[in-house]
Amino acid sequence: MTKRTYLHSVFLIITLMFTASANAKWTSVERLEATVNSELILYSDLLEFKKLYTLRSQLDPLFSTSKIFKKGKKASQKEVVEFLINEKLITSAFPVASHLVEQEVNTIQANNNISRKNLVSALKAQGFSFEEYFNIIKISIAKRNLIDQEIRVKVHISDDDIKNYYYNQFAKGSSEFLYKLKIITVNPANYRTSKDANDIITRAQKALASGEDFSSVAKRFSDAPSAQEGGDLGTFTLKEMSPLIKKQIKRLKLGEFSSVLGSAQSSFFIIKLDDIQSSQAGRLEKMKTQILTQLTSKEYQHQISLWLERKRANAYIHYSTGYRKN
């Protein structure tokens, strides 16, 4: 029997059990919403999700950054099912033993100076059982393990990232900015033919694309007076730049360089945005922590999304015929 046949057989057992029996006292039948590999997502899981929304908000490290968080209990059935599918993929990849959950609960109790009896009473007062709390803790540990083992090492926010974000979000186009530029220039007038000059700038472009330092490439290939200084061109305001360079600079982030610009009739050149300087440096410094937090959170979400995409591509995910994609 294949996995697909087996899972469908399980579903039939769940949905047909005793439904036609004259002695049956069932008032409702459990409904299958989706299958994730060998695990089932039932209609009761959707109801439980809505019931435990507040508890998830307090304990789940990924919940507050999820798309479904803001919608809360108003989230559609489709959105809840998709969230639970992703959660099944995480908990399957990072299984957590019950004794580790127990250790976590004990740590929480110790940190809050609360006994198990009082914890159970506090949960009951909020409408939750200890078993529900235990299960959410278990899911939370699995998600933390995902972050620690797969995601954290892929997230790095540099000072240039922070400066780029500040420039684009809060001060783009400000006349107060000075742009520090570097350039690699190849003048066809210095070569036998324009093809020779084009070959040189192409070699420079390939060297940059391979990851070679811009300054080193400038020293090797540029025939501009600034070549021996690594192509340093100086600092300029947007108003001081030619229209062509200004257009390129507006497209570049810190550390990025342009494609080959110019022509055989003038010069071929590649421009790099090396730094951005501003009188607003004090404001940037004050906002640095805030920006770092925002960028880090955004990158974590991005990396988690990529991880889930890879997992979903290799998983067996089946939506039941009764599943309404509203």
Side-chain angles (χ1 to χ4, degrees):
M1 181 182 292
T2 66
K3 179 187 287 186
R4 183 188 295 266
T5 304
Y6 169 74
L7 293 171
H8 284 178
S9 298
V10 172
F11 173 53
L12 288 173
I13 292 172
I14 293 173
T15 55
L16 298 178
M17 187 180 294
F18 300 123
T19 55
S21 173
N23 296 324
K25 297 181 181 180
W26 300 83
T27 57
S28 63
V29 178
E30 180 67 284
R31 187 176 74 200
L32 178 69
E33 300 295 332
T35 306
V36 187
N37 295 325
S38 61
E39 298 191 67
L40 306 180
I41 295 176
L42 307 173
Y43 181 67
S44 58
D45 295 322
L46 276 64
L47 298 179
E48 184 179 59
F49 171 85
K50 293 188 176 183
K51 177 188 176 185
L52 302 180
Y53 177 85
T54 304
L55 203 56
R56 281 183 175 276
S57 302
Q58 298 170 2
L59 302 173
D60 186 336
L62 300 182
F63 190 54
S64 63
T65 57
S66 65
K67 294 180 180 180
I68 203 172
F69 174 72
K70 292 181 180 179
K71 296 189 177 182
K73 297 180 181 180
K74 295 181 180 179
S76 68
Q77 177 178 314
K78 176 183 177 181
E79 289 170 324
V80 176
V81 169
E82 294 298 339
F83 177 86
L84 293 177
I85 287 173
N86 289 340
E87 192 165 81
K88 291 288 187 185
L89 293 171
I90 295 173
T91 54
S92 295
F94 298 93
V96 179
S98 294
H99 75 275
L100 295 177
V101 185
E102 185 65 32
Q103 288 178 14
E104 179 88 0
V105 174
N106 288 335
T107 300
I108 293 172
Q109 288 179 210
N111 291 339
N112 292 275
N113 195 26
I114 186 173
S115 66
R116 178 63 56 88
K117 181 179 179 180
N118 288 338
L119 173 60
V120 172
S121 296
L123 290 168
K124 186 175 181 181
Q126 297 180 58
F128 307 123
S129 69
F130 179 76
E131 181 181 4
E132 291 169 336
Y133 176 80
F134 191 91
N135 288 335
I136 295 295
I137 292 289
K138 189 173 187 177
I139 292 170
S140 300
I141 295 174
K143 292 182 178 181
R144 287 208 311 267
N145 289 341
L146 165 64
I147 293 171
D148 292 339
Q149 298 176 34
E150 296 284 344
I151 305 301
R152 196 183 306 280
V153 295
K154 298 177 182 178
V155 176
H156 173 69
I157 307 300
S158 68
D159 286 341
D160 281 356
D161 293 329
I162 294 172
K163 189 177 287 189
N164 273 317
Y165 184 87
Y166 174 77
Y167 165 68
N168 284 291
Q169 296 297 319
F170 301 106
K172 191 166 186 177
S174 172
S175 59
E176 299 179 12
F177 281 88
L178 289 173
Y179 301 84
K180 184 179 179 183
L181 308 180
K182 287 187 176 183
I183 195 168
I184 295 171
T185 300
V186 176
N187 188 345
N190 297 331
Y191 295 85
R192 187 170 59 86
T193 67
S194 60
K195 183 180 182 304
D196 292 337
N198 187 70
D199 289 343
I200 293 296
I201 198 68
T202 299
R203 288 171 58 193
Q205 185 182 35
K206 289 181 178 179
L208 292 173
S210 70
E212 190 172 340
D213 179 67
F214 194 94
S215 295
S216 299
V217 176
K219 290 177 181 179
R220 281 204 293 137
F221 295 104
S222 181
D223 55 24
S226 63
Q228 293 310 306
E229 284 72 47
D232 286 340
L233 195 59
T235 56
F236 305 85
T237 65
L238 288 174
K239 291 181 179 179
E240 293 172 325
M241 299 178 193
S242 69
L244 176 60
I245 292 181
K246 182 192 298 184
K247 184 178 180 180
Q248 290 297 317
I249 291 304
K250 287 184 175 181
R251 294 176 177 175
L252 298 177
K253 293 181 179 179
L254 280 175
E256 291 183 342
F257 51 85
S258 69
S259 56
V260 175
L261 305 172
S263 67
Q265 286 69 47
S266 55
S267 288
F268 298 112
F269 65 95
I270 300 171
I271 201 85
K272 177 185 178 183
L273 178 56
D274 198 49
D275 196 10
I276 301 175
Q277 301 167 1
S278 170
S279 60
Q280 297 186 19
R283 184 184 178 207
L284 169 59
E285 193 62 31
K286 290 179 181 179
M287 297 185 68
K288 198 169 184 179
T289 300
Q290 175 189 337
I291 294 173
L292 177 61
T293 300
Q294 292 177 0
L295 292 180
T296 301
S297 176
K298 185 176 180 180
E299 185 59 21
Y300 267 89
Q301 292 176 49
H302 175 64
Q303 291 298 334
I304 290 168
S305 295
L306 293 177
W307 186 90
L308 286 169
E309 284 179 15
R310 293 192 295 270
K311 285 296 180 181
R312 290 178 77 107
N314 295 314
Y316 169 75
I317 299 174
H318 173 75
Y319 299 97
S320 71
T321 54
Y323 173 55
R324 296 168 295 178
K325 295 186 178 182
N326 53 356

